[in-house]
Amino acid sequence: IIGEVGPDGLGAMTWSGKMPQEGAAVAAMQTSDEFSGTVLPAQWEWNYQPRADQWSLTERPGWLRLHAFRPLVSGDLLKAGNTLTQRVLRTRANEVVIELDLDGMADGQQAGLCHFSKTYAALGVRQEGRKRTLVSTNNAVAAPGPEIAGGHIWLRSTWGLDGQSRFSFSLDGRTFADFGPPYQLAWGNYRGDRIGIYSYNPKGDEGYADIDFFHYTYAGPLK
């Protein structure tokens, strides 16, 4: 019987428990990725069936390249096809940081870091003509931020046991500034929250974003 047995003889879900073998090594889930291989590690999952010619680990070795194409529904990140995701963990401290090279972006393209389940939130860059702008999105409500003059940006999400994610950005990879409202991680569509990297373009199949790394650090297993 799984979990804690109640008066009815049935098991109930428990969120923590005693280790069955004290002193044994704790296995850690795969999270971070340097994109240095030729195949994606096991922790990754596409939000939709991937198009083989729209992403690559070999066009620029050491980087993940996400080409941009039209979403199924304009203005809805949940309907964008080229979104690479993995599970989030429920620990007391979690941090995800990615580095984006923006030089391959095209007019209309958007790329960045997102959370989603039944609802979604994102922090990313939108290109209009030659102008690139930071954009915070919460369930299709977009809030523009400062113009991004350089070719690189670092995006970060942090959250704890309360599931409140805060997005922030950096232009040097060291100093981060919060941007956008907090987002409550939630359950939806038969699954918990996922964190992802996205690249799409409502104006057409044009542009790409290069991601140097995905660093996910988190507190050890709760005891």
Side-chain angles (χ1 to χ4, degrees), residues 66-141:
L66 291 180
H67 291 274
F69 54 86
R70 292 180 188 271
L72 297 173
V73 177
S74 182
D76 186 351
L77 178 63
L78 296 180
K79 300 298 184 181
N82 226 9
T83 305
L84 185 63
T85 81
Q86 64 173 269
R87 284 185 185 277
V88 304
L89 302 179
R90 185 180 185 268
T91 74
R92 63 183 180 275
N94 303 264
E95 178 185 86
V96 168
V97 180
I98 66 171
E99 180 186 354
L100 281 173
D101 184 335
L102 311 174
D103 285 344
M105 290 186 67
D107 179 37
Q109 185 182 352
Q110 298 192 43
L113 184 66
C114 66
H115 281 280
F116 70 91
S117 54
K118 189 174 183 179
T119 60
Y120 68 89
L123 181 63
V125 175
R126 177 173 61 199
Q127 180 151 333
E128 297 171 290
R130 294 180 178 272
K131 180 180 178 181
R132 298 180 186 133
T133 306
L134 187 71
V135 177
S136 168
T137 308
N138 196 310
N139 294 315
V141 178

Side-chain angles (χ1 to χ4, degrees), residues 184-209:
Q184 180 63 55
L185 308 188
W187 175 268
N189 301 322
Y190 301 100
R191 64 186 178 193
D193 182 80
R194 302 191 71 85
I195 190 164
I197 311 166
Y198 63 91
S199 174
Y200 67 92
N201 191 341
K203 292 186 177 182
D205 298 0
E206 187 178 1
Y208 60 83

Side-chain angles (χ1 to χ4, degrees), residues 144-161:
E147 184 175 346
I148 306 301
H152 287 248
I153 191 170
W154 289 257
L155 303 174
R156 181 175 71 180
S157 171
T158 59
W159 67 95
L161 289 173

